[in-house]
């Protein structure tokens, strides 16, 4: 797996992160949004990205469905594939953060060990764990992709919250309760939580 000892990373000779952050006038961070399908991850990521872009920040969204149709199109929803999905996304998010980019990810990340894996890969200092919270019932009534209706009829394999577990977090860096907040309020809460960390010193 490691190239049989023939892989020699060259990180020490590459242009440093500080140079890129100075060029961009900001500091890289991964804002890791997770929660049930339909909880509001993508909606909030898109709205926050627009706001940050309007303020002059350079951003990138990594979204579950997009990544699963490209980079991770060979992965399914078994425990093993969910881990590999998160491992790859975390590695990509880390590259963006180290290039100084404010990176928003939108993945269900249903298990605590997956959130921990992402934190370890990205590095705790660059990782904001944000739980986008809505109950299964609320998500099922929103059903923006029609998945809950399909899953109820048995048409979705290993559907999170139904026949694949979602583990509630113990201590997320931030909890965004989308049943009680509007999209604008949710974005405001998140913006307040990250703005000091992404501004240049
Ligand atoms: P996810 O990316 O978590 O699967 P989506 O963002 O695709 O979820 O869908 C969330 C749905 O919930 C959208 O239809 C959105 O308009 C709606 N919604 C209602 N209230 C909120 C809120 N406060 N934050 C985010 N989405 C909300």
């Amino acid at each position: 797996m490691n190239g049989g000892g023939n892989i020699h990373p060259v990180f020490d000779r590459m242009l440093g992160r500080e140079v890129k952050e100075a060029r961009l006038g900001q500091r890289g961070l991964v804002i890791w949004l997770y929660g049930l399908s339909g909880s509001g991850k993508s909606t909030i990521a898109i709205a926050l990205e627009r706001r940050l872009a309007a303020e002059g920040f350079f951003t990138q969204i990594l979204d579950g469905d997009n990544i699963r149709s490209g980079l991770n199109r060979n992965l399914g929803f078994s425990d093993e594939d969910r881990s590999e999905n998160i491992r790859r996304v975390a590695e990509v998010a880390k590259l963006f953060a180290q290039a100084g980019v404010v990176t928003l990810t939108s993945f269900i990340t249903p298990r605590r060990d997956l959130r921990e894996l992402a934190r370890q890969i990205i590095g705790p200092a660059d990782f904001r764990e944000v739980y986008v919270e809505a109950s299964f019932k609320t998500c099922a009534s929103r059903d923006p992709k029609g998945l809950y209706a399909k899953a109820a009829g048995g048409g979705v394999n290993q559907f999170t919250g139904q026949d694949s577990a979602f583990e509630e977090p113990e201590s997320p860096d931030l909890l965004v309760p989308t049943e009680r907040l509007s999209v604008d309020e949710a974005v405001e809460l998140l913006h307040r939580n990250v703005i000091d960390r992404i501004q240049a010193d």
Side-chain angles (χ1 to χ4, degrees), residues 36-44 106 142 144-145 178 181-183:
L36 291 174
S37 177
S39 59
K41 304 178 294 296
S42 305
T43 303
I44 292 170
S106 168
R142 290 178 182 164
K145 299 168 203 155
T178 67
L181 301 180
S182 67
V183 175

Side-chain angles (χ1 to χ4, degrees), residues 52-191:
L52 292 174
E55 292 168 350
F57 290 98
F58 188 62
T59 57
Q60 178 66 46
I61 292 180
L62 302 173
D63 187 87
D65 286 351
N66 294 358
I67 296 280
R68 278 188 174 280
S69 60
L71 176 67
N72 289 355
R73 71 177 171 211
N74 62 327
L75 300 178
F77 292 88
S78 66
D79 286 351
E80 196 185 0
D81 278 7
R82 284 182 192 262
S83 298
E84 179 61 8
N85 183 46
I86 295 304
R87 188 190 69 77
R88 289 185 201 169
V89 170
E91 291 286 358
V92 173
K94 177 182 178 175
L95 292 174
F96 275 109
Q98 291 185 342
V101 181
V102 179
T103 309
L104 302 133
T105 71
S106 168
F107 294 84
I108 298 173
T109 334
R111 303 192 318 257
R112 291 192 196 109
D113 68 304
L114 298 176
R115 270 107 66 177
E116 195 44 38
L117 176 69
R119 182 186 294 275
Q120 290 315 319
I121 289 172
I122 292 161
D126 287 333
F127 185 76
R128 267 303 144 92
E129 182 187 321
V130 180
Y131 179 33
V132 180
E133 183 197 47
S135 67
F136 185 89
K137 201 168 152 220
T138 297
C139 294
S141 70
R142 290 178 182 164
D143 208 7
K145 299 168 203 155
L147 284 175
Y148 284 83
K150 208 169 156 190
V156 184
N157 217 0
Q158 293 162 309
F159 190 63
T160 309
Q162 181 173 282
D163 44 14
S164 180
F166 182 86
E167 296 174 358
E168 296 282 324
E170 271 156 7
S171 53
D173 295 324
L174 180 68
L175 186 150
V176 181
T178 67
E179 290 176 11
R180 285 189 275 122
L181 301 180
S182 67
V183 175
D184 284 352
E185 288 167 339
V187 168
E188 176 60 30
L189 176 66
L190 190 46
H191 186 273

